[in-house]
Amino acid sequence: MRYNFNQIEKKWQEYWAKNQTFKAENNSDKPKYYVLDMFPYPSGAGLHVGHPLGYIASDIYARFKRHKGFNVLHPQGYDSFGLPAEQYAIQTGQHPAVTTEANINRYREQLDQIGFSFDWSREVRTSEPDYYKWTQWIFIQLFESWYDHNSERARPISELEEIFAAEGNSGVNAACDDDVEQFSSSQWNSFSSEEKQKQLLKYRLTYLAESEVNWCHQLGTVLANDEIVNGVSERGGYPVIRKKMTQWSMRISAYSERLLQGLNTIDWTESLKESQRNWIGKSVGASVRFKVKGIRINDKDAWIPVFTTRPDTIYGVTFMTLAPEHELVEKITTAEHKDEVEAYVEATAKRSERERMADVKTISGVFTGAYAEHPFTKEPVPIWIGDYVLAGYGTGAVMAVPCGDQRDYEFAKHFDLPIRNIFQDVDISEEAYSGKEGTVIANSDFLDGLEYKAALQKAILELEKIGQGKGKTNYRLRDAVFSRQRYWGEPFPVYYVNGLPQMIEKEHLPLRLPEVEKYLPTETGEPPLGNATDWAWDKEKNEVVENSKIDHKTVYPLELNTMPGWAGSSWYLFRYMDPHNEEQFASEKALQYWENVDLYIGGSEHATGHLLYSRFWTKFLTDRGFLTVEEPFKKLINQGMILGTSAFVYRLEGENKFVSKKMSEAHNVQAIHADVSMVNASDELDIEAFKKWRPEFADAEFITENGQYIVGREVEKMSKSKYNVVNPDDICEDYGADTLRMYEMFLGPLEQAKPWNTAGITGVHNFLKKLWNLYHDHDNNFEVSDGKASVDSLKTLHKTIKKVTEDIENFSFNTSVSTFMICVNELSVQKCNFREVLEPLVVLIAPYAPHIAEELWQKLGHDSSVTTAAYPVYEEKYLIESTKEYPISFNGKMRFTLELRLDMSKEEIEKTVMAHEKTQQQLNGREPKKVIIVPGKIVNIVG
RNA sequence: GCUCGGAUGGUGGAAUUGGUAGACACGUUGGACUUAAAAUCCAAUGACCAGCAACGGUCGUGCGGGUUCAAGUCCCGCUCCGAGUACCA
């Protein structure tokens, strides 16, 4: 073998590991550059070819930056808490830590094979106590903070206590629960310690609140939407209902405006920013409260608060709709409607939120029998409940204006409720009218004749006068539920005294995850940590002790929930800066040097989850003085998903007989996924392998076409359950990591989703062989000449430098692979073996194919790694052209080309072109109406 | 449903600011080398029409319109596919 990639790659991977080639320094004179991949979850299926796509791209960029003289931080680690390991533990009884460790080792092996330039000395794992110690510490900081809207930042809770003690809470403009009651300083000072704690909990950035969850009674646990299929649990197929539970929440909504504004300061794609903007969902309007007629709760009038973006349409209100789970529903429903309402509420609890949002076709709802009072006309407004109103959305109630909102319109039509037209000269007999600009309000008393904007202002003013509303900005962004009823997550550093949460002090962290017998919820429906026998906190000894010692005097119960997957991943980028620090999550010095991530690469599926939460935590930590940056990720690129090409076999309904693809349409068949490894490139199934694959197929019969069983193909997400996973190991073995790296880039634009297909891999492999041959003679002896390269070769080189540099900067790696191919093809034809050209070429290709580059670099006589070799500089002088092949078009259609000097004037060009024999032939005697000449580009003759 | 993407030969894709559509690869076909095969190299390859050949012609970037001397690219209206949709990570 001339190009012995297996040997070369092994050699250099060992060299890099031994010499710690990619270790980043926290002390350096070089400018810093931080390149990060989104945190991988080490799944049991190992790495498939989709995972490395982004890693290869970021690795190319990291290596490029090293050539450009930067001190590059390019770390890797594992987001190692998570549901799949826990599921596996439930099924097999194996400790999630054991399977996680095994998965990580497998990941590492696979990653090492591909030749990434990670600084492994900085590896972190979220499930390690020395890591989650700091996740717990951040949680405590959030608990010890409140958000001050006057200064727009988080402040220590102790400062809030001082304010309360001095002046009560009336002057405080804080992000807090809706139900805070006003108290004076003297009232505060007279509160018991417990009462004070209860009040403070309403202000803390992490707090306990009732929130809605998907509860599965049979499994005794809360389920992710992901775990629910067609309204029942994926595991077992049990019913799932919406239920309220007390949970830890994160007051991310306090940061809505800053999360929105911050988007303007970062270099992310516009589409991703737009997703976040929509997720945050800022809308400006008014809050309005409607009095419920004849209902008093605790001797006070009952009110329904609503948020509307169109207070100008207040006179169009003809009914109200509450979410079925709205707290008032029970209290206002009249005896007459009780049964109907209860049945509806129960039915709604069975539907998922997503289902309710997606389903706009079925209109349902029931009347409560209660009426609200219109704030101005004082007319009765019937109160309905309907599942199109979501409890967690705004106030969970809407003032329905059927003439102006299509959903309200359809609801009104369906239930025969009145529709009152309040728009001048607008026909609403067919549908609602939601236009704003130019709309004139009518039938609305004091708003009559006013245009939209003026009416809006006037309506808010009048609502304020009667104390039933005010201008308000609303955000769709909801506080994030932070509790999980799981085992395999960070324990909360929390114990309870009289039901009130207390934080464990920093010096006693980490609070380690306890051992449990089984990973399922307890028989009484408590989370898995409820199975632990040693899960109580001794406040005096400051240690975890047996549950039996709980006396509520010095020993207290610990929190049984764990933190969600996004806890550890919201701040990991900072831990990489100083991963072994035992005193701080990272030193000030390291944080100041590395600041934040310069380039972040990962999938767009994180657009509104991880990427919003980590922005939130970063802002919070900065507010509290622990960080100096407002944003975690300066530039972000989304890599597209690599899809799998699934294979299907067709089983005749009710038989163990399979028909080939062609016959499948004529029969009643069931399509079954077959493992893609049993199918060749011509879609032919290896029948013997298939029979052995699963016992149920051992006796299967096959009806073939021309002796072959042909499978059906379909492009789907690459997944273990679809048997379409292709892993990179075989490719590294057969073609080498450099080929894999370049091939994955060659597949297409980084950001685009694309199906995996190894068909073209030989093209890339051949290219590397040709590259190798440039540096070697027929007998594979290294041979590079020190002579003078031809003008053509220098032109080829500099053209390549220019294009490849531009491509890297634009993250257009697929086109740079093509450029390298063209370059090597040209140099091969030119028979160029001059050092002057071949040495810069090695550096140019090193980020893409680092192993072959190192080998050739060494052969060129260098005794250190190519990693920090200076990047070649493009010189324009080699590319100056004096002529251009002009396309000559007639009526926009290119007919022929003509080589012309580039320094010709428009007139000269026209003269030459018109005089040309082919032009006359094309015109065939016609006189052109117009001749368009764009010098250096095109000539178009019209007429 | 809502939000954000995408659609170009047999296949993956290229086309910088509206200026030669299909670069570069794969595949296919033919040829060279070889006893043969593999490997390697050379040539052709969007579809259709015409022709002995040379020179050509028509259509063509998901669909329907529009703007322009010129549209894959810009505008309007659709179709289909993918991602996210708040407890998968």
Side-chain angles (χ1 to χ4, degrees):
Chain A
M1 199 191 297
R2 293 172 63 88
Y3 162 44
N4 191 341
F5 51 88
N6 293 122
Q7 189 199 322
I8 293 169
E9 292 179 358
K10 193 163 172 275
K11 168 178 162 187
W12 289 101
Q13 283 163 13
E14 280 166 9
Y15 175 95
W16 295 329
K18 190 172 149 234
N19 292 281
Q20 302 214 9
T21 309
F22 308 116
K23 196 165 163 33
E25 293 301 330
N26 277 9
N27 295 304
S28 172
D29 299 335
K30 292 179 180 178
K32 71 101 187 183
Y33 200 88
Y34 187 177
V35 183
L36 187 63
D37 298 297
M38 282 189 193
F39 220 8
Y41 175 78
S43 93
L47 204 65
H48 67 60
V49 290
H51 295 113
L53 184 74
Y55 304 161
I56 294 167
S58 61
D59 198 60
I60 289 171
Y61 205 79
R63 287 174 179 271
F64 170 71
K65 281 289 180 183
R66 288 192 194 95
H67 288 298
K68 285 283 196 180
F70 287 82
N71 180 28
V72 173
L73 176 57
H74 187 37
Q76 188 61 284
Y78 306 95
D79 190 9
S80 46
F81 273 134
L83 206 47
E86 179 157 337
Q87 286 291 3
Y88 194 72
I90 291 169
Q91 283 162 23
T92 66
Q94 278 205 67
H95 198 289
V98 175
T99 51
T100 300
E101 170 86 26
N103 292 348
I104 285 176
N105 291 340
R106 169 118 176 84
Y107 254 64
R108 177 64 191 274
E109 250 173 61
Q110 291 182 301
L111 288 171
D112 281 347
Q113 240 180 7
I114 304 172
F116 293 120
S117 64
F118 293 129
D119 176 357
W120 283 109
S121 71
R122 293 175 185 253
E123 182 199 299
V124 301
R125 301 178 183 187
T126 53
S127 58
E128 287 297 319
D130 60 2
Y131 181 89
Y132 68 66
K133 167 180 174 177
W134 297 106
T135 310
Q136 291 172 336
W137 178 84
I138 294 170
F139 176 82
I140 295 171
Q141 299 310 313
L142 284 153
F143 185 80
E144 299 292 341
S145 303
W146 64 291
Y147 195 86
D148 180 4
H149 274 307
N150 286 336
S151 58
E152 283 298 347
R153 64 184 178 89
R155 296 172 61 184
I157 201 86
S158 57
E159 293 180 14
L160 187 65
E161 287 180 82
E162 285 163 25
I163 296 170
F164 287 168
E167 54 196 64
N169 71 346
S170 58
V172 171
N173 183 10
C176 58
D177 291 2
D178 294 331
D179 63 346
V180 290
E181 285 170 25
Q182 285 210 3
F183 49 78
S184 63
S185 60
S186 54
Q187 279 173 303
W188 172 262
N189 293 323
S190 66
F191 283 163
S192 66
S193 160
E194 268 185 30
E195 184 58 30
K196 282 181 181 171
Q197 285 186 43
K198 275 185 195 162
Q199 292 300 334
L200 286 173
L201 198 52
K202 298 179 182 188
Y203 289 85
R204 297 181 190 273
L205 282 180
T206 184
Y207 60 100
L208 284 166
E210 290 244 295
S211 21
E212 289 239 336
V213 294
N214 299 312
W215 177 256
C216 178
H217 183 72
Q218 279 81 353
L219 294 174
T221 190
V222 174
L223 298 178
N225 283 329
D226 225 57
E227 298 174 282
I228 305 167
V229 179
N230 301 324
V232 296
S233 65
E234 193 176 27
R235 266 183 302 142
Y238 303 117
V240 177
I241 59 158
R242 304 278 298 165
K243 185 185 154 183
K244 278 191 176 158
M245 272 179 82
T246 300
Q247 313 249 308
W248 284 102
S249 266
M250 286 283 161
R251 217 180 286 281
I252 187 174
S253 59
Y255 283 85
S256 301
E257 187 62 30
R258 278 170 66 192
L259 288 168
L260 190 63
Q261 294 309 324
L263 291 171
N264 300 328
T265 67
I266 47 186
D267 183 10
W268 295 11
T269 58
E270 212 34 59
S271 65
L272 184 59
K273 289 194 205 180
E274 199 56 27
S275 290
Q276 290 215 342
R277 285 190 193 107
N278 287 318
W279 188 261
I280 296 166
K282 181 179 185 176
S283 50
V284 179
S287 67
V288 183
R289 35 182 218 145
F290 286 74
K291 187 167 147 187
V292 186
K293 278 185 184 266
I295 306 273
R296 290 179 69 82
I297 297 167
N298 300 338
D299 267 347
K300 288 177 192 157
D301 287 332
W303 293 90
I304 300 174
V306 299
F307 174 80
T308 174
T309 55
R310 295 293 301 271
D312 56 312
T313 63
I314 186 111
Y315 279 90
V317 175
T318 55
F319 62 100
M320 298 189 75
T321 315
L322 305 187
E325 51 277 75
H326 196 286
E327 53 172 9
L328 276 179
V329 171
E330 197 188 327
K331 292 165 184 157
I332 63 170
T333 302
T334 60
E336 196 187 338
H337 292 89
K338 195 164 176 268
D339 291 347
E340 215 187 339
V341 166
E342 276 177 5
Y344 188 76
V345 170
E346 205 185 308
T348 305
K350 289 179 184 159
R351 300 189 79 193
S352 72
E353 206 168 80
R354 197 181 298 179
E355 204 182 337
R356 282 163 64 180
M357 281 192 286
D359 183 9
V360 292
K361 287 187 192 112
T362 35
I363 296 161
S364 71
V366 292
F367 180 44
T368 61
Y371 290 88
E373 182 184 273
H374 191 281
F376 296 114
T377 66
K378 306 295 177 194
E379 282 168 13
V381 178
I383 303 171
W384 285 64
I385 59 173
D387 68 3
Y388 75 97
V389 180
L390 302 173
Y393 213 102
T395 62
V398 297
M399 56 173 232
V401 182
C403 66
D405 180 282
Q406 191 59 27
R407 261 188 324 190
D408 295 344
Y409 185 90
E410 277 158 22
F411 196 88
K413 284 264 172 183
H414 191 260
F415 291 109
D416 211 17
L417 293 160
I419 298 173
R420 188 177 152 147
N421 191 354
I422 48 127
F423 302 117
Q424 193 175 299
D425 303 327
V426 168
D427 175 28
I428 55 150
S429 59
E430 293 297 322
E431 57 179 7
Y433 173 77
S434 60
K436 289 178 182 172
E437 302 311 315
T439 306
V440 177
I441 305 294
N443 289 325
S444 297
D445 192 19
F446 58 84
L447 297 174
D448 282 357
L450 290 178
E451 185 262 342
Y452 159 70
K453 268 186 193 152
L456 197 84
Q457 296 306 319
K458 176 82 174 163
I460 293 173
L461 201 73
E462 293 297 324
L463 281 165
E464 279 175 4
K465 272 191 199 162
I466 58 168
Q468 279 190 246
K470 59 180 177 202
K472 192 184 172 188
T473 300
N474 200 52
Y475 298 90
R476 203 177 73 102
L477 183 67
R478 314 203 286 247
D479 282 347
V481 178
F482 199 67
S483 299
R484 297 292 182 268
Q485 294 68 44
R486 312 284 183 197
Y487 175 74
W488 194 231
E490 298 87 347
F492 282 86
V494 174
Y495 60 94
Y496 288 88
V497 177
N498 293 332
L500 286 168
Q502 312 295 324
M503 297 295 123
I504 289 171
E505 281 151 34
K506 177 196 158 184
E507 46 277 28
H508 309 303
L509 298 179
L511 177 68
R512 287 165 190 269
L513 198 56
E515 294 305 317
V516 291
E517 280 293 311
K518 39 179 205 161
Y519 306 99
L520 286 167
T522 67
E523 274 159 24
T524 52
E526 280 171 336
L529 294 193
N531 291 318
T533 51
D534 293 7
W535 197 237
W537 187 250
D538 186 323
K539 206 185 157 185
E540 289 190 337
K541 292 188 189 143
N542 284 309
E543 61 182 30
V544 175
V545 296
E546 285 163 46
N547 295 359
S548 58
K549 293 190 176 156
I550 295 174
D551 58 6
H552 296 283
K553 291 191 184 86
T554 55
V555 180
Y556 300 96
L558 280 159
E559 167 75 53
L560 300 180
N561 288 292
T562 53
M563 298 189 197
W566 56 269
S569 61
S570 291
W571 70 280
Y572 76 112
L573 68 147
F574 299 111
R575 187 63 178 169
Y576 282 135
M577 296 173 182
D578 191 10
H580 309 296
N581 195 321
E582 288 178 13
E583 301 307 313
Q584 292 162 289
F585 69 88
S587 71
E588 284 90 2
K589 205 174 152 233
L591 290 165
Q592 264 164 29
Y593 179 69
W594 293 110
E595 292 181 316
N596 50 12
V597 175
D598 295 284
L599 173 66
Y600 198 34
I601 295 191
S604 61
E605 63 272 22
H606 299 284
T608 50
H610 162 62
L611 288 173
L612 207 54
Y613 296 134
S614 51
R615 291 183 62 217
F616 159 44
W617 279 28
T618 301
K619 286 178 189 301
F620 164 72
L621 290 168
T622 298
D623 282 355
R624 291 298 316 274
F626 301 114
L627 293 177
T628 54
V629 291
E630 273 283 322
E631 292 288 341
F633 313 112
K634 272 192 243 179
K635 182 176 176 68
L636 185 138
I637 304 268
N638 284 133
Q639 102 252 4
M641 191 180 291
I642 289 200
L643 303 163
T645 311
S646 304
F648 289 93
V649 291
Y650 304 95
R651 181 165 63 188
L652 292 177
E653 203 69 59
E655 295 182 65
N656 201 6
K657 198 184 262 181
F658 294 83
V659 292
S660 190
K661 188 187 169 192
K662 265 191 193 151
M663 284 89 87
S664 67
E665 278 158 38
H667 296 86
N668 197 7
V669 295
Q670 193 187 358
I672 298 170
H673 277 101
D675 197 302
V676 288
S677 64
M678 304 182 299
V679 181
N680 70 13
S682 313
D683 296 345
E684 295 158 356
L685 180 74
D686 180 340
I687 293 175
E688 288 314 308
F690 183 76
K691 283 181 170 177
K692 281 183 207 146
W693 186 40
R694 282 198 261 164
E696 68 218 76
F697 301 140
D699 311 318
E701 283 178 63
F702 295 85
I703 301 174
T704 57
E705 38 189 307
N706 306 326
Q708 290 295 341
Y709 186 96
I710 307 297
V711 298
R713 291 286 202 175
E714 214 169 290
V715 171
E716 299 180 291
K717 196 167 170 167
M718 199 172 272
S719 141
K720 207 176 167 185
S721 63
K722 295 185 167 71
Y723 300 104
N724 60 2
V725 171
V726 180
N727 77 40
D729 307 13
D730 298 343
I731 291 162
C732 286
E733 186 60 33
D734 298 344
Y735 298 98
D738 286 340
T739 298
L740 174 76
R741 291 170 64 104
M742 293 199 92
Y743 184 61
E744 290 223 7
M745 293 298 101
F746 188 61
L747 273 180
L750 183 59
E751 274 124 313
Q752 210 169 288
K754 51 224 154 213
W756 177 256
N757 182 352
T758 48
I761 202 159
T762 53
V764 173
H765 190 63
N766 282 343
F767 154 75
L768 286 171
K769 284 194 209 164
K770 280 192 220 167
L771 177 77
W772 180 264
N773 289 342
L774 279 179
Y775 297 78
H776 294 82
D777 65 14
H778 284 295
D779 303 317
N780 202 27
N781 295 313
F782 182 79
E783 194 191 319
V784 166
S785 151
D786 285 329
K788 199 82 192 117
S790 71
V791 175
D792 279 350
S793 296
L794 287 167
K795 188 171 163 184
T796 297
L797 173 70
H798 283 271
K799 191 171 73 176
T800 306
I801 297 173
K802 181 170 192 265
K803 176 82 172 116
V804 170
T805 311
E806 281 169 7
D807 284 346
I808 292 187
E809 276 157 6
N810 294 322
F811 299 91
S812 175
F813 301 114
N814 56 325
T815 51
S816 42
V817 177
S818 301
T819 305
F820 282 125
M821 288 175 171
I822 294 167
C823 172
V824 167
N825 287 346
E826 287 182 6
L827 294 177
S828 301
V829 170
Q830 293 158 11
K831 304 214 182 318
C832 172
N833 79 331
F834 298 101
R835 177 181 290 273
E836 193 183 1
V837 170
L838 296 185
E839 196 161 88
L841 181 60
V842 168
V843 182
L844 214 52
I845 206 162
Y848 295 80
H851 309 85
I852 194 175
E854 289 280 23
E855 184 71 14
L856 293 172
W857 187 248
Q858 190 181 54
K859 287 187 169 197
L860 281 162
H862 301 275
D863 51 16
S864 62
S865 165
V866 72
T867 301
T868 50
Y871 203 74
V873 178
Y874 153 67
E875 286 180 59
E876 201 172 357
K877 65 179 179 191
Y878 296 108
L879 298 192
I880 294 166
E881 300 275 359
S882 57
T883 62
K884 149 108 192 154
E885 281 280 312
Y886 275 90
I888 313 298
S889 302
F890 293 81
N891 297 316
K893 281 178 190 155
M894 205 279 289
R895 293 302 174 186
F896 60 90
T897 59
L898 201 57
E899 186 166 350
L900 297 172
R901 291 198 326 280
L902 275 165
D903 59 7
M904 283 170 89
S905 68
K906 269 193 179 189
E907 290 70 28
E908 282 176 285
I909 294 172
E910 180 164 351
K911 221 172 121 193
T912 317
V913 170
M914 292 312 291
H916 199 274
E917 146 195 28
K918 283 187 183 169
T919 308
Q920 291 311 316
Q921 202 180 319
Q922 282 292 333
L923 285 171
N924 199 14
R926 280 171 294 136
E927 194 56 36
K929 286 196 197 109
K930 207 172 175 184
V931 179
I932 287 153
I933 292 160
V934 185
K937 284 249 164 87
I938 198 172
V939 176
N940 190 15
I941 297 162
V942 186

